Amino acid sequence: NAGVTQTPKFQVLKTGQSMTLQCAQDMNHNSMYWYRQDPGMGLRLIYYSASEGTTDKGEVPNGYNVSRLNKREFSLRLESAAPSQTSVYFCASSAGTGPSYEQYFGPGTRLTVT
Amino acid sequence: GENVEQHPSTLSVQEGDSAVIKCTYSDSASNYFPWYKQELGKRPQLIIDIRSNVGEKKDQRIAVTLNKTAKHFSLHITETQPEDSAVYFCAASGLSGAGSYQLTFGKGTKLSVIP
């Protein structure tokens, strides 16, 4: 099993450009998440999908959109990138959204917006 | 929503000594508290977790304690080794407004183990 995979690994964008970060999991998990990680800020939840067909905002959703394409795939879109979106983005998945399901993280995408 | 505070932000210990990282949380309804380890350039990985009906859990050299009354929990690493050097994140799982559980993370502790 590959677990959680993300593409691309690195990306440089100019301000105003758009892009989509891809995430896939092969663990048959119901729930998927997008986090951003900034120095000294920990991991902050952007959006999550409790199950196929549903998505909800997390702590920092502004400037992002998501699509739960099917049970395996959950994408994050930046419509008009801003320098404040320079960050490392992690996708994660879990079997469910109950109170004690372990979240498994992907390898991350390092995004720089100039 | 939930707020998780983590201290210290950096910690240096001599190899073989113990390390303790502390977290507090705000939502008394939170009931699951995982700890993640993130090595440089890698993804976060779960190392231990504790549920609210348990006060302490141990796994070899690492242990976690939980005080629900005081709303704080701690990670203890004994006999530290250089490979323990990493950033450690605590988290608390609480119910979101949408009716599902979300993890709220602390800001992390960078642990350096000096050989």
Side-chain angles (χ1 to χ4, degrees):
Chain A
N1 285 353
V4 181
T5 57
Q6 293 182 234
T7 56
K9 287 195 169 96
F10 301 94
Q11 184 71 47
V12 179
L13 290 178
K14 294 187 188 304
T15 298
Q17 288 185 320
S18 62
M19 79 160 295
T20 300
L21 281 64
Q22 306 286 354
C23 173
Q25 52 89 11
D26 62 2
M27 296 177 281
N28 200 34
H29 283 170
N30 289 311
S31 304
M32 298 184 74
Y33 312 82
W34 277 106
Y35 293 90
R36 61 176 289 172
Q37 184 176 35
D38 303 295
M41 294 297 294
L43 291 147
R44 292 183 292 170
L45 184 65
I46 305 170
Y47 270 94
Y48 67 101
S49 171
S51 60
E52 188 178 353
T54 69
T55 60
D56 284 294
K57 295 177 181 179
E59 180 186 354
V60 288
N62 290 347
Y64 305 95
N65 285 301
V66 290
S67 295
R68 182 75 182 267
L69 305 170
N70 48 55
K71 191 172 185 179
R72 290 187 64 247
E73 297 172 290
F74 188 38
S75 63
L76 179 72
R77 182 160 178 84
L78 286 70
E79 290 291 352
S80 178
S84 61
Q85 294 178 306
T86 293
S87 188
V88 180
Y89 291 85
F90 286 100
C91 177
S93 71
S94 64
T97 55
S100 57
Y101 284 103
E102 178 179 352
Q103 292 190 16
Y104 295 82
F105 286 82
T109 294
R110 186 173 294 274
L111 175 66
T112 302
V113 183
T114 61
Chain B
E2 176 68 277
N3 182 49
V4 177
E5 300 281 343
Q6 183 172 347
H7 299 280
S9 55
T10 60
L11 179 60
S12 291
V13 299
Q14 293 289 332
E15 182 178 356
D17 286 349
S18 295
V20 180
I21 302 170
K22 298 182 178 181
C23 289
T24 61
Y25 61 99
S26 61
D27 186 354
S28 56
S30 290
N31 53 14
Y32 172 64
F33 307 92
W35 287 86
Y36 283 81
K37 176 183 180 181
Q38 186 179 29
E39 296 176 353
L40 189 62
K42 300 289 182 63
R43 72 190 78 189
Q45 292 193 295
L46 180 74
I47 55 170
I48 196 167
D49 56 18
I50 191 166
R51 288 162 178 76
S52 59
N53 58 346
V54 175
E56 183 174 2
K57 183 176 179 180
K58 193 171 182 181
D59 183 3
Q60 299 183 357
R61 294 186 299 108
I62 60 173
V64 58
T65 59
L66 171 65
N67 183 327
K68 283 219 73 176
T69 303
K71 289 190 280 189
H72 67 70
F73 56 113
S74 301
L75 177 71
H76 304 252
I77 306 173
T78 58
E79 300 172 16
T80 53
Q81 300 168 3
E83 52 265 38
D84 294 329
S85 296
V87 178
Y88 292 80
F89 294 97
C90 63
S93 177
L95 201 57
S96 74
S100 58
Y101 285 85
Q102 293 177 18
L103 284 180
T104 300
F105 286 84
K107 293 184 178 179
T109 296
K110 183 177 181 181
L111 174 64
S112 300
V113 179
I114 304 162

